[in-house]
Amino acid sequence: MRDAEEIACSRRMNSLTLNRHTEILEILEIPQLMDTCVRNGYYEEALELAAYVRRLERKHSSIPVIQGIVDEVRQSTQLMLNQLIQQLRTNIQLPACLRVIGYLRRMDVFTEAELRIKFLQARDAWLRSIQASIPDDDPYFHITKTIEACRVHLFDIITQYRAIFSDEEPLLPPEGQALNEGAIFHGWVLQKVSEFLRTLERDLQRGVGGRLDSLLGQCMYFGLSFSRVGADFRGQLAPLFQRVAAAAFRKAVEETVDKFREEMNSYTLISAPAVLGGSAGVPVPTAQPGTLQPPMVLLDFPPLACFLNGLLVAFNDLRLCCPIALAQDVTTCLEDALGEVTKTILAFHRAEEAAFSGREQELFAQFCTAFLEDLLPYLNRCLQVLFPPAQIVQALGVPPTQLQRFGHLGCIDVGALREPLAFLLPAPGEEEEPARESTPRPEGEEEAVPGENGTAGQQESPPGGDPLPDIPAATG
């Protein structure tokens, strides 16, 4: 009887199992179905299965089979989470972003702050992969492509973030709420802008040639586009370009001074004036309207002419990116260079004075006079073209009459450079041939902004004036 009862009980269980076979099979196949949905991208159905399994767990958590099903479904849920986050690491558009974030919110595995961080981390990883694919051989090509990639893709990421997450913070946060979720986004944008500025500074230091103005225009447009999302960083660009422009000008001036020293070591006072005396055989170009003509008297003294040509090349390169804030630095750099030139002239005089003939003494006095009376005033006119006093007083916010209070701002101190050479100049009654002086500029003609190259007419003049010509045949 006992065996018969056990057999009858087992038969009833088998009969019940057979009657509920379909329902039991559906439950046992949930992990397999969940895995299939996840791997095929049917995230809506997968979320419904996961919700059903959670309800099943709450009712029958003590049943080992149900617990096994729950564990397998959790593994598939983790796979779905990884797939959704991986989608954010691709070139995904806004509608797809909205769907993915919707799925992540329904999974309820992240808080709102964690979800924002995950979104920004994933999109940032995609942006970094774009930037890493840009060739780094040519600094100019690298920074221009970086600007383009950041301007387009970074703006898209910001648009996606603002469409998905709301940063409207209450004026008074609830008691005990210390987390400002809006600060997450602002901190990320600040980090991206800082990274771009570091990349820009590194490529500028590597050298972009004479395309500084083009690069500045692209960066300014980039910064302007970000003003629409409250991240205008154009104010951070000025110091970078200012330092690069000042360093390039300083380097060019130092090279010009070194070249002047080399030429003075082999210079003789008789050779040049004997051949070019009075510049009778040299065709002097007529000053074009609106140009700033160099003093032709310097043709008699090749070291001075070559020195001026070197400075003109530096001026023309500086004109491409010439912020008014550089007026003091450029003036100081020029005064230091001219001080070195003065020392070189004095050293030449000390070395050669004992062997000077009367004619050589006279020519050397003319050399010093050309340096002080022709070269220096011409450099001051060039500085006024690069840094117009009207712009300087406007930037300083002072009336024009007060500009002298700031010292020699945008103007070389000719008196300080004249003092060491004063004893070498001829007496006032001994000055000769007034025709030697530079041709005065007719009244009404505008001073031209120096161009990129040292010679006139070699390129189309950009807005702001014609290129400033150098002295013909001086480099020979």
Side-chain angles (χ1 to χ4, degrees), residues 359-378:
R359 175 60 178 164
E360 288 175 336
Q361 186 68 37
E362 180 183 345
L363 289 174
F364 187 73
Q366 293 177 11
F367 182 97
C368 297
T369 302
F371 173 69
L372 294 171
E373 304 295 338
D374 296 298
L375 178 62
L376 297 186
Y378 178 74

Side-chain angles (χ1 to χ4, degrees), residues 9-315:
C9 181
S10 176
R11 184 176 182 280
R12 282 195 302 273
M13 288 300 297
N14 289 338
S15 299
L16 181 61
T17 304
L18 180 60
N19 293 334
R20 297 299 184 95
H21 173 266
T22 305
E23 292 88 339
I24 295 175
L25 188 62
E26 288 179 354
I27 294 176
L28 293 176
E29 288 181 346
I30 285 178
Q32 181 181 354
L33 183 60
M34 178 78 173
D35 186 70
T36 302
C37 289
V38 170
R39 293 187 184 278
N40 288 278
Y42 302 136
Y43 299 123
E44 192 73 34
E45 292 79 1
L47 287 171
E48 292 177 1
L49 284 173
Y52 176 75
V53 169
R54 283 197 295 272
R55 291 196 300 270
L56 207 61
E57 182 184 16
R58 284 196 296 270
K59 294 179 180 179
H60 310 288
S61 59
S62 60
I63 301 176
V65 174
I66 298 298
Q67 196 60 47
I69 292 173
V70 170
D71 293 340
E72 292 183 29
V73 169
R74 282 176 179 167
Q75 293 177 8
S76 297
T77 304
Q78 183 64 41
L79 176 62
M80 181 172 67
L81 177 63
N82 295 337
Q83 287 184 357
L84 290 173
I85 294 178
Q86 187 60 36
Q87 286 189 23
L88 295 176
R89 300 176 185 267
T90 61
N91 187 13
I92 189 173
Q93 300 303 315
L94 178 58
C97 273
L98 289 170
R99 285 196 302 271
V100 169
I101 296 299
Y103 293 144
L104 290 174
R105 279 179 170 147
R106 289 172 59 185
M107 292 178 70
D108 198 24
V109 293
F110 298 126
T111 64
E112 183 65 17
E114 290 172 344
L115 188 58
R116 294 176 183 229
I117 293 174
K118 281 293 181 183
F119 176 82
L120 291 175
Q121 285 176 341
R123 303 304 289 148
D124 184 53
W126 172 71
L127 180 61
R128 288 178 184 273
S129 68
I130 296 293
Q131 294 174 335
S133 64
I134 300 174
D136 198 20
D137 301 332
D138 181 15
Y140 181 77
F141 179 81
H142 178 261
I143 192 60
T144 52
K145 289 301 181 182
T146 300
I147 292 172
E148 181 180 351
C150 289
R151 182 171 54 83
V152 175
H153 300 308
L154 198 54
F155 190 80
D156 286 345
I157 295 174
I158 293 174
T159 304
Q160 292 168 356
Y161 180 92
R162 292 195 158 185
I164 296 171
F165 304 100
S166 173
D167 276 338
E168 295 180 0
E169 298 292 339
L171 295 179
L172 293 174
E175 193 68 27
Q177 180 181 351
L179 178 62
N180 183 359
E181 293 173 347
I184 297 173
F185 172 68
H186 296 298
W188 181 80
V189 172
L190 179 61
Q191 179 191 12
K192 291 291 100 183
V193 171
S194 301
E195 289 177 1
F196 169 75
L197 291 176
R198 286 196 295 270
T199 302
L200 174 63
E201 185 174 14
R202 183 175 66 252
D203 285 337
L204 284 175
Q205 290 175 352
R206 292 169 60 194
V208 294
R211 295 166 288 189
L212 205 59
D213 55 336
S214 170
L215 190 57
L216 177 60
Q218 295 181 55
C219 290
M220 285 298 183
Y221 179 70
F222 181 22
L224 178 62
S225 67
F226 264 48
S227 64
R228 292 180 289 174
V229 294
D232 189 349
F233 58 89
R234 287 176 292 175
Q236 303 291 323
L237 296 173
L240 296 180
F241 283 87
Q242 183 175 323
R243 286 196 294 269
V244 171
F249 180 78
R250 191 178 302 110
K251 180 180 178 182
V253 170
E254 290 173 354
E255 292 175 354
T256 302
V257 171
D258 292 339
K259 186 177 180 182
F260 178 80
R261 289 197 190 98
E262 294 176 4
E263 294 187 353
M264 288 300 290
N265 289 336
S266 58
Y267 178 57
T268 57
L269 285 166
I270 297 178
S271 59
V275 177
L276 301 174
S279 300
V282 178
V284 178
T286 57
Q288 298 295 326
T291 62
L292 188 61
Q293 189 66 35
M296 290 298 109
V297 66
L298 297 181
L299 283 172
D300 287 343
F301 308 103
L304 291 180
C306 292
F307 176 71
L308 177 58
N309 278 350
L311 293 182
L312 292 181
V313 171
F315 281 147

